Amino acid sequence: MDYTADQSGFRQLPNMHLRNNSADGSDADQLFEDTSGVGPGSQKGYRNQQAMPQAGEFPGQALLSDPMSNLAMAYGSSLASQGREMMDKNLDRFIPISKLKYYFAVDTVYVGKKLGLLVFPYMHENWEVSYQQDTPVAPRFDVNAPDLYIPAMGFITYVLVAGLALGTQNKFSPELLGVQASSALVWLIMEVLVILLSLYLVTVNTDLTTIDLLAFSGYKYVGMIVSVVAGLLFGRPAYYLSLLWCCAAIFVFMIRNLRLKLLSEAAAEGRLVRGARNQLRMYLTMAIAAAQPIFMYWLTYHLIR
């Protein structure tokens, strides 16, 4: 590089550095655009143009147009449907939802006739369940068909009446009412389990299902409610009289229903029961019927003072 001296004796900077500065200045003018002259309206329009999507597009269009996304969505929906079918199949194995609908197919006329039959079963003659194409008709069409509506409502009403009876004795508490309801439910489940075990030991071939046994065992709540209400209204003698009547009624009701299910065809028609196996079936039928009054007294006697 050549260094030249001016008149004052100082060395001048090299010409290359000056050229570089001028070149940098020109490049700076090219890199940074002067936007001071642009109005605020144009800048706002530019930002809105960047923020808003293009016309004719909607959010998620790019995701739906992706083949891999469509495949993943289809695979996920198929997995969800398979899981739902598997859950319904396993649930129906333990809790037959489709069969439960049959036991709740009742109407007001059926409920009224069934309650009358439970309280006064002595004049009823035909106890056979009607069938249509090897399938029992719905309870609302046949008063002899078992149902779960009356046992379920009877259980709930029994708990409410028990709470009322405890309140008249100044013993009501939520904990005591819960103990009353849980004990009644436990006794019902134990009763059904003992009946199932007895049927297995006696080797009875019957079309009675677990739900049928639950329905027949739950009909005793009707007599229990009548007895407790009578005791609350008219005192302890009325309780014992109504309990005696309802116990006899439920005994006859259970005998006439279960003998068609447990005994042989000869016994169902009224002919002499012969054979050791038929004798065991007869004893089992009477034992199930005789257990109902015992439970009725056990679950209600402490509610009347």
Side-chain angles (χ1 to χ4, degrees):
M1 293 184 183
D2 295 334
Y3 291 90
T4 58
D6 56 0
Q7 295 178 0
S8 59
F10 294 97
R11 293 183 179 180
Q12 294 182 354
L13 294 175
N15 293 333
M16 183 180 296
H17 180 69
L18 294 176
R19 285 194 300 268
N20 290 339
N21 287 341
S22 62
D24 293 341
S26 62
D27 291 342
D29 292 340
Q30 293 177 2
L31 288 176
F32 299 99
E33 230 178 357
D34 186 10
T35 58
S36 60
V38 181
S42 59
Q43 291 182 0
K44 181 178 180 181
Y46 178 73
R47 287 194 299 268
N48 292 335
Q49 184 178 2
Q50 287 183 340
M52 294 177 59
Q54 296 181 359
E57 292 184 357
F58 56 90
Q61 183 177 5
L63 179 62
L64 295 177
S65 61
D66 189 3
M68 294 300 295
S69 300
N70 293 333
L71 182 61
M73 292 175 62
Y75 183 69
S77 61
S78 64
L79 283 180
S81 62
Q82 290 177 2
R84 184 167 54 252
E85 291 176 0
M86 186 178 299
M87 183 184 66
D88 294 340
K89 186 183 298 183
N90 293 330
L91 183 64
D92 191 68
R93 187 194 309 175
F94 298 101
I95 304 176
I97 303 298
S98 59
K99 293 182 179 179
L100 286 178
K101 294 179 181 179
Y102 164 82
Y103 292 93
F104 285 95
V106 300
D107 55 7
T108 307
V109 177
Y110 168 83
V111 172
K113 291 182 178 180
K114 195 75 170 187
L115 291 177
L117 188 61
L118 289 170
V119 177
F120 194 82
Y122 308 105
M123 303 300 295
H124 192 67
E125 296 180 356
N126 184 17
W127 293 86
E128 294 183 358
V129 179
S130 302
Y131 283 81
Q132 183 179 7
Q133 296 179 356
D134 299 333
T135 303
V137 298
R140 63 174 174 267
F141 301 118
D142 186 12
V143 71
N144 296 322
D147 70 285
L148 284 178
Y149 176 80
I150 293 178
M153 294 297 103
F155 177 80
I156 297 174
T157 307
Y158 162 73
V159 174
L160 296 177
V161 172
L164 178 62
L166 293 174
T168 58
Q169 303 173 15
N170 296 325
K171 296 180 180 180
F172 177 81
S173 65
E175 294 80 9
L176 190 58
L177 186 63
V179 170
Q180 188 74 26
S182 60
S183 62
L185 184 61
V186 168
W187 279 114
L188 179 63
I189 295 174
M190 289 180 61
E191 178 187 355
V192 174
L193 292 178
V194 169
I195 295 175
L196 289 174
L197 180 60
S198 302
L199 293 176
Y200 174 76
L201 294 177
V202 180
T203 63
V204 177
N205 294 325
T206 178
D207 57 350
L208 276 175
T209 62
T210 305
I211 304 178
D212 292 335
L213 295 176
L214 188 64
F216 284 120
S217 299
Y219 285 137
K220 62 175 170 286
Y221 290 115
V222 176
M224 294 163 58
I225 295 169
V226 172
S227 303
V228 174
V229 171
L232 292 176
L233 294 177
F234 305 105
R236 198 172 185 84
Y239 162 75
Y240 282 113
L241 288 176
S242 59
L243 180 65
L244 181 62
W245 177 273
C246 292
C247 287
I250 196 65
F251 181 81
V252 174
F253 177 85
M254 295 293 287
I255 286 289
R256 293 187 177 181
N257 275 283
L258 295 180
R259 72 188 182 98
L260 298 175
K261 303 291 186 179
L262 302 182
L263 300 180
S264 61
E265 295 181 358
E269 294 174 359
R271 297 200 298 266
L272 183 62
V273 179
R274 297 178 179 177
R277 180 171 297 181
N278 285 335
Q279 291 288 340
L280 288 176
R281 293 177 180 179
M282 183 182 65
Y283 294 149
L284 179 59
T285 303
M286 295 186 64
I288 296 173
Q292 307 307 309
I294 298 175
F295 284 114
M296 292 172 65
Y297 174 75
W298 177 258
L299 294 173
T300 57
Y301 79 95
H302 61 281
L303 298 176
I304 305 299
R305 297 299 182 192

